[in-house]
Amino acid sequence: MIVLNSSTDSLEIVTSAAGHIEYTVSYADHTSTGVTASNSLGKIATATTTTVVSAPGTGVTRQVRGIMIANTSKSVTNTVTVQIDVSATDRKIITAIVEYGESLHYTDGGGW
């Protein structure tokens, strides 16, 4: 289970090369009054660190339920790292080489 439970926790994807990486992250915010589902979608075209799920607000626990990362670049193989940034300290979750046409998947309860 991937949980962001502090206003200093965010989920990031680090890419090693300029290419085309597409991502979809689904998550749920848990509060004392209920649960709200949401998602984050985007594309990464450079070698960079990208925040894909921001830190939750005060009194919110953010549960990541699914992650899909796809390499759509025909000419670039990318090393992708998924990490939690906790007050500027990175906690690596997984690093994988993702070639063109491949994807990396996570499901809550199923893992990578």
Side-chain angles (χ1 to χ4, degrees), residues 82-104:
V82 177
Q83 63 190 22
I84 295 176
D85 182 322
V86 179
S87 300
T89 300
D90 298 327
R91 312 260 191 244
K92 291 183 182 179
I93 297 172
I94 190 169
T95 299
I97 296 170
V98 185
E99 296 185 22
Y100 168 68
E102 293 183 336
S103 57
L104 182 61

Side-chain angles (χ1 to χ4, degrees), residues 2-12 25 27-30 38 40 50-64 83-88:
I2 299 172
V3 174
L4 307 176
N5 59 8
S6 170
S7 62
T8 61
D9 298 356
S10 60
L11 187 70
E12 299 175 334
V25 182
Y27 60 91
D29 287 343
H30 298 261
S38 192
S40 171
T50 303
T51 299
V52 295
V53 179
S54 60
T58 303
V60 178
T61 298
R62 186 161 284 164
Q63 176 188 12
V64 177
Q83 63 190 22
I84 295 176
D85 182 322
V86 179
S87 300

Side-chain angles (χ1 to χ4, degrees), residues 39-73:
N39 64 7
S40 171
L41 312 166
K43 296 180 181 182
I44 304 169
T46 60
T48 191
T49 300
T50 303
T51 299
V52 295
V53 179
S54 60
T58 303
V60 178
T61 298
R62 186 161 284 164
Q63 176 188 12
V64 177
R65 294 193 170 174
I67 302 171
M68 190 282 300
I69 302 167
N71 184 347
T72 58
S73 178

